[in-house]
Amino acid sequence: MEVTGRLRQARAALLVSFLCQGVAFALLVTRIPAIQHRYGVSDALLPAFLAAVPVLAGVGSIASEHVVRRTSARAVLRTVQPLVCLSLVGVGAGDSVWQLALSLAAFGLMVGALDASMNMLGVGLQHRYGRSIMLGFHAAFSLGGIVGASLAWAGAHWHLTLLTLFGCTAAVLIPVSLAASLRYAGPQELAGAEQAAAEAAGRSIPWRPLLPLCFAMAAAYIADATVSNWSAKYLQDTLHSSEELATVPYNAYMVTMLLGRALGDAGVQRWGAVAVVRAGVVLSALGFAVAAVAPEPWTGILGFTLLGVGLCAIVPQVFAAGGRRFPEASDAAVARLNLFNYVGFLIGSPLVGAVGDAGSYRVALAVPMILVLTVLVVSRTFSPTVQPVPAAVPSEVG
């Protein structure tokens, strides 16, 4: 299939969108301690706020599917990405808890719609390219996370207010994303690829062969949610780091995540998916262990850095294994597995927060460590030799 210049422009535009979203998300999660301090949110109440965001993201994702049917993924993405940035500004602009709740609710809803529409366009472009390009989009998100965490460090270093930090960032991201949106792929460029993907996703596939992979996905995202939502607070409150140093763990995590995703395919080709996943599980558990026993901040940062190396390979290999299990309905398998992204975030944030609030955050880090280690039990599911399962295609009535 010919890849035209227009398709390359659409791919570059979507890469910019993923990168902008990585910046916005990283800015929010790395400044959680500052947000908590500004609004006076207690440690007991913070997990509820953090859990509400993925719940509402799930709602936004489901709602966006209905809107896309009436408009297009391009139209939804073009609308919601600036709204994500504006809701981030709202988080920094308020001065009471109800305003924080409203801004976080808007952020969650818009992020869910953004995530769904970005990936719909990505899947459509992948169909037109005729080869895998989705990993590049998620690598762009990781790069954006590095930029966002670096901006958060700069904000803490120079004692910028949340409104100044979030507002200045949004002032750059909004025009950049709007400019990129002019080159998003539409129905003409995708040439029915979106509809083909939807038809594939509508095929009936059994849940049972996917359950081990669903568990691995949830465990990986529980670990990821722990880093995203609690690494800054853990460093600042438990390891007594400075405010600016508390932004470093997420940045280091995203750097190693990006490097691992860039090099991971070569590792899979050389040693196989099962070996790479098992090594990732062990490294992830080691990262949690190092962070949990860390006597000072830099050792804690080392632990979270190891986590990036370990987790980077697990999620892509979950998607790859799901596609191999159902080669005739890989989009349906990927769509189901992606649900457990939200499950992991929904469980991870409040679970770690509740254990940390009841005991200590050192003990709380053992929870995702144990869950990640149990992925070893299902690691054989990642083998390319696992027998594929045929999908049931609905029969047509003539």
Side-chain angles (χ1 to χ4, degrees):
M1 184 177 294
E2 182 185 1
V3 178
T4 64
R6 178 66 186 90
L7 282 176
R8 292 190 184 94
Q9 291 176 357
R11 182 184 180 185
L14 192 57
L15 283 167
V16 172
S17 181
F18 271 86
L19 186 143
C20 289
Q21 171 56 6
V23 174
F25 184 77
L27 262 182
L28 179 70
V29 299
T30 53
R31 299 304 283 143
I32 285 174
I35 294 169
Q36 183 184 13
H37 177 74
R38 174 182 176 85
Y39 289 94
V41 178
S42 68
D43 287 345
L45 185 59
L46 183 60
F49 275 88
L50 298 179
V53 174
V55 170
L56 291 168
V59 174
S61 179
I62 293 169
S64 69
E65 294 179 14
H66 299 286
V67 179
V68 166
R69 292 193 191 104
R70 293 174 173 81
T71 56
S72 68
R74 174 173 62 179
V76 172
L77 178 54
R78 183 179 290 161
T79 302
V80 299
Q81 187 142 48
L83 294 178
V84 167
C85 297
L86 290 175
S87 62
L88 181 65
V89 176
V91 172
D95 54 16
S96 61
V97 173
W98 72 266
Q99 291 172 323
L100 173 63
L102 188 63
S103 296
L104 286 177
F107 186 88
L109 286 169
M110 294 304 107
V111 160
L114 177 63
D115 181 57
S117 56
M118 282 196 308
N119 282 286
M120 287 176 194
L121 278 181
V123 169
L125 282 170
Q126 182 165 274
H127 275 262
R128 289 289 285 128
Y129 266 71
R131 57 185 172 86
S132 176
I133 60 173
M134 285 296 290
L135 193 59
F137 295 129
H138 290 275
F141 177 87
S142 298
L143 180 59
I146 295 167
V147 174
S150 299
L151 289 172
W153 178 90
H157 181 73
W158 286 307
H159 306 290
L160 301 179
T161 65
L162 290 175
L163 179 57
T164 300
L165 178 62
F166 293 167
C168 290
T169 303
V172 175
L173 293 182
I174 290 175
V176 168
S177 62
L178 287 175
S181 72
L182 298 176
R183 309 308 299 170
Y184 289 156
Q188 182 177 355
E189 293 80 22
L190 296 179
E194 281 181 302
Q195 183 177 356
E199 289 173 356
R203 292 174 176 170
S204 176
I205 62 174
W207 272 103
R208 187 173 179 179
L210 286 178
L211 288 180
L213 296 173
C214 292
F215 171 78
M217 177 70 88
Y221 271 103
I222 287 171
D224 184 80
T226 302
V227 182
S228 300
N229 293 329
W230 298 108
S231 61
K233 183 173 175 59
Y234 177 72
L235 226 72
Q236 192 168 337
D237 291 358
T238 303
L239 301 184
H240 309 294
S241 75
S242 65
E243 185 179 355
E244 62 189 84
L245 190 58
T247 67
V248 172
Y250 186 78
N251 203 341
Y253 171 75
M254 293 304 287
V255 167
T256 51
M257 181 76 75
L258 176 61
L259 292 174
R261 285 175 172 171
L263 303 174
D265 286 337
V268 171
Q269 291 168 11
R270 182 170 182 177
W271 295 297
V274 174
V276 168
V277 168
R278 286 174 175 170
V281 167
V282 172
L283 280 172
S284 299
L286 178 61
F288 275 122
V290 170
V293 301
E296 43 78 39
W298 283 106
T299 308
I301 291 170
L302 173 62
F304 291 117
T305 302
L306 286 173
L307 267 168
V309 179
L311 290 177
C312 68
I314 296 176
V315 171
Q317 290 310 308
V318 168
F319 284 129
R324 288 194 297 268
R325 290 291 277 157
F326 295 94
E328 297 177 356
S330 59
D331 291 310
V334 168
R336 288 194 178 182
L337 290 168
N338 193 54
L339 291 174
F340 287 82
N341 165 353
Y342 294 112
V343 171
F345 268 103
L346 179 59
I347 294 173
S349 293
L351 181 61
V352 172
V355 174
D357 189 49
S360 77
Y361 282 95
R362 292 185 186 275
V363 175
L365 292 181
V367 176
M369 180 184 74
I370 293 170
L371 288 172
V372 167
L373 275 174
T374 55
V375 174
L376 290 173
V377 178
V378 300
S379 61
R380 288 298 305 169
T381 313
F382 292 86
S383 174
T385 61
V386 173
Q387 191 69 24
V389 181
V393 181
S395 61
E396 295 182 1
V397 179

